[in-house]
Every structure is written in C-alpha cells, then in structure tokens.
Amino acid sequence: GQLEPPLLQLFPSELVTSPDGSDRVAYSGNFSVGEGAGNFDHLGTPIGDAAFCDAYLRRRVEKVERVLAAVTSVADTEVAFKVMMYCANYGRVMHLMRTVPCDAAATALEAFDDKVCATFSDISGIWPTPEQWERATRATSVGGCGLRSAARHSAAAYIASTLATRRRCTEVDGAFAGGSGAVAGPVLDAVAKYNSLLPSDQSTTLPALAEIAEQGSIQKQLSHKLDRCSFAADLAACPTLADKAQLQSEAMPGAGDFLDTLPSITLRLALRPAEFRVELKRRLLVDVYPCVRPCPLCNAPLDTRGWHALRCPCGGDRTRWHHVLRNHFVNLCEGAGLRAEVEPPHLLLPDPDHPAQESR
C-alpha cells in the first residue's frame, strides 16, 4: 500500500502525491502481479522468469490461433492468404518479440510459426517441406511469400528494440547502460542467436549494431540481412539449373508484386484460386503435378514443375498469352494518354535492301 522511500526518490513529489496529500500511486489496472515472486505483466509484456514469460506468450498465441482458424473459412484462396499475411501474421506478436528476451520467447514463438504454417496449408493445399517453408517466410523482394517467421526474426526485433530505447532507459536509470544484466545478458544472447542464423563471415557484434541503430530502421536492416543470406544459401543448394533460374526470377524487381496487391476483380488484379495456388507452388519450388505424364497437346513429357506447360507450342496458349498481354498494355497506354498502336499483321515492312523478304 505504500512506496518505499528509495522508490519515492525516483519520482517528483507532485507525481506521486496530490496537493491534498493523498496517494496518487495506482496498484492495479495496467500493472498486474502474476504467479510467483517477481513475475508480473505491464503494458502487455510479461516481466519475470522464463516459465512465466513462456506461459504468457502461449496464451497470446492461443488468441491468435482463433483468428487463424477464422481465416481458413474464407473460400477465395488469394483473399484468405492475404488476410493471413497482413492481419494474422507475425505482426500479432511483434510487441512480444521486441520486449521479451529470445530465450524466454523461443518455444512459444515456434508454436506460433507452426500455427501459421498449418493455416497456410489449409488455405493453399500445399504442405511445404522445411526448405519450402523457409522460402515462404522470406520477404517478397527476395523470392518469398512475406510470411515472416516470428522465431527466426525475434532476435533482430529484440536487439532493435533494446538499442533504440537504451538512451531513454539510461535517462531513467543511470546504472542501466553499465549494468551487466540490463545489456550484457539478454542482448548478447540475442546477438548470439542472430549470428547463428548467418554465415560465419556475415556475423556482427553489439558495437556494430549500436552504430546501425543510430541511423534508424535497424530491425528492417537486420531482417533483410537474414533474408538475403537465406536466399543465397537456398540458391547455392539448388540441385538443378531450372530451380536456380526459377528462384532468381522470383527475386527480380516486381516479381512478387502480386502478393502485395489488393485483390480486385474490377481492376483485373485478382487471380482464380487454382491460378493463385499454382503461383505459390512455383514460387516455393513445389511440384505442380504429382508425376510426369504425356502432354495432352504435343505428347512431350509434362514435367512435375510445369516447365513444359509454359513453353508448349501447341494449343495456341502461347499466342493467346501474347495477345492478352499486348492488348492489356495498349489499354494501359491509352488510359495514360499515350498514343499506342496494336502491332499490325505484317510488322516488318518491305525493305529493298533485303530482297529475301520471306526469310526476313
């Protein structure tokens, strides 16, 4: 019911005592005591031993699990995926990733990632291998699907949060910066975990991270570095040139824009469910077909990845593909006020300097 004199000295008198002498300190509300000595939660963050933090995070994960279960009821694959990506992804636990030490949060965040992966499978019908799921958790700019792994990026989040607030913490508590427990313990553990996810030649140190923090956007830089190293390792481990080419093409500028676009049938920015699932499979290097079989149009082998389906000369698909894209870009140009002309049937006009016109 009372603050001890050493604690009272930390605060201005007008903050803890009203003009009439009554106590202004609130002992309930946003500050609740948990089970066990020294365990409590404040502003949505557990503070205490590892077991208390783990139990707190698991309760939070259970709440998110109900949201993920609701997402699976959406019939349209693309809409369900993007609702999960933006509304029920690792952003739901980002506050905890930034405020709870990595060791205390590891088990619960791994359970959260498992729930997200299971929801992805329910939505898409794709049951990815660990390698394929790691691709899915990379950013779209490096060939991924934008489904961030909370466990994988928790170290980067905790390092960024601690370094960004260290100056303010030192203003409140002068011993914070030099305290062995405040910085050297949990933060160094987070740095060690972060380095364990990188090649040995890409590892970093706490002083180097502190310099990056001064520039701002440290968490974005750390997470992007994880993605780049993961992509490089994935590319080096590709067993075939075709898979390597596919990975590189998915990481080209604009290749992942369809995952960041709001689905709209009116604006022709929506994919049919079957088309969207195939796009996800190709992006993750998942087999499109269960086995090799003859192409129904040209009788050539139709491989499991669908390479032949893209370049089969029979059936007129390639011609229709060309015409649809051509007409679409003409419409875009006309909408922008540009003078565009659809290519004529005889694109190459007669040239007297080249008599062999037919060959030309």
Side-chain angles (χ1 to χ4, degrees):
Q2 291 181 343
L3 287 176
E4 298 295 331
L7 293 178
L8 281 172
Q9 296 174 6
L10 292 175
F11 303 97
S13 59
E14 61 271 16
L15 184 65
V16 295
T17 307
S18 299
D20 59 1
S22 60
D23 193 357
R24 278 181 165 174
V25 179
Y27 298 96
S28 62
N30 203 21
F31 183 90
S32 58
V33 179
E35 297 180 359
N39 292 328
F40 59 92
D41 68 279
H42 186 56
L43 296 175
T45 295
I47 301 174
D49 56 36
F52 174 74
C53 292
D54 179 72
Y56 189 96
L57 264 71
R58 286 185 179 276
R59 290 195 296 271
R60 182 68 62 85
V61 170
E62 289 176 0
K63 292 181 180 179
V64 181
E65 185 177 356
R66 294 196 291 270
V67 179
L68 292 171
V71 171
T72 60
S73 65
V74 179
D76 189 287
T77 304
E78 183 179 9
V79 173
F81 175 86
K82 293 181 178 179
V83 169
M84 178 184 70
M85 178 180 176
Y86 286 105
C87 305
N89 200 5
Y90 82 142
R92 287 276 181 166
V93 292
M94 176 56 69
H95 179 64
L96 296 171
M97 291 166 58
R98 291 175 61 87
T99 55
V100 179
C102 299
D103 292 342
T107 305
L109 293 181
E110 289 173 358
F112 173 78
D113 288 340
D114 290 341
K115 300 297 183 183
V116 174
C117 183
T119 304
F120 171 78
S121 296
D122 290 340
I123 291 173
S124 64
I126 301 172
W127 282 263
T129 63
E131 294 79 12
Q132 292 164 349
W133 180 241
E134 184 173 337
R135 293 185 193 114
T137 58
R138 291 200 294 260
T140 55
S141 60
V142 285
C145 294
L147 300 176
R148 293 287 197 182
S149 166
R152 182 176 177 84
H153 291 270
S154 61
Y158 187 77
I159 292 169
S161 175
T162 305
L163 294 180
T165 58
R166 183 166 58 171
R167 183 177 300 173
R168 292 293 189 183
C169 291
T170 305
E171 293 176 4
V172 175
D173 181 5
F176 177 82
S180 60
V183 175
V187 178
L188 287 180
D189 291 341
V191 174
K193 179 180 179 180
Y194 179 75
N195 285 333
S196 69
L197 301 173
L198 299 172
S200 57
D201 60 341
Q202 295 288 328
S203 59
T204 186
T205 62
L206 186 59
L209 293 171
E211 293 181 5
I212 299 176
E214 293 295 330
Q215 304 170 5
S217 302
I218 178 175
Q219 184 174 343
K220 182 177 181 180
Q221 294 184 52
L222 295 181
S223 291
H224 191 56
K225 185 176 182 180
L226 284 177
D227 284 345
R228 291 199 313 269
C229 292
S230 172
F231 177 75
D234 194 9
L235 200 61
C238 279
T240 65
L241 288 176
D243 285 348
K244 184 174 293 188
Q246 180 66 25
L247 277 182
Q248 290 178 320
S249 68
E250 297 293 354
M252 294 181 67
D257 285 357
F258 76 100
L259 292 171
D260 299 322
T261 303
L262 185 68
S264 172
I265 296 177
T266 304
L267 299 177
R268 301 181 68 184
L269 296 176
L271 294 172
R272 297 182 181 90
E275 294 173 338
F276 188 75
R277 285 193 292 268
V278 170
E279 286 297 329
L280 290 179
K281 288 181 177 181
R282 289 179 50 76
R283 197 166 183 81
L284 301 180
L285 300 186
V286 176
D287 287 345
V288 177
Y289 304 112
C291 60
V292 178
R293 53 186 176 181
C295 174
L297 297 177
C298 68
N299 209 36
L302 187 59
D303 58 283
T304 57
R305 291 290 173 81
W307 305 114
H308 175 77
L310 288 176
R311 59 179 184 266
C312 179
C314 301
D317 285 345
R318 289 201 302 188
T319 303
R320 283 194 295 270
W321 184 1
H322 168 269
H323 289 353
V324 168
L325 286 175
R326 177 198 64 191
N327 296 340
H328 178 63
F329 284 115
V330 168
N331 292 333
L332 289 178
C333 291
E334 291 178 348
L338 301 175
R339 183 178 178 181
E341 180 183 354
V342 178
E343 60 177 348
H346 303 289
L347 185 61
L348 296 176
L349 299 177
D351 187 350
D353 295 333
H354 296 81
Q357 182 64 26
E358 294 302 325
S359 300
R360 182 166 176 264

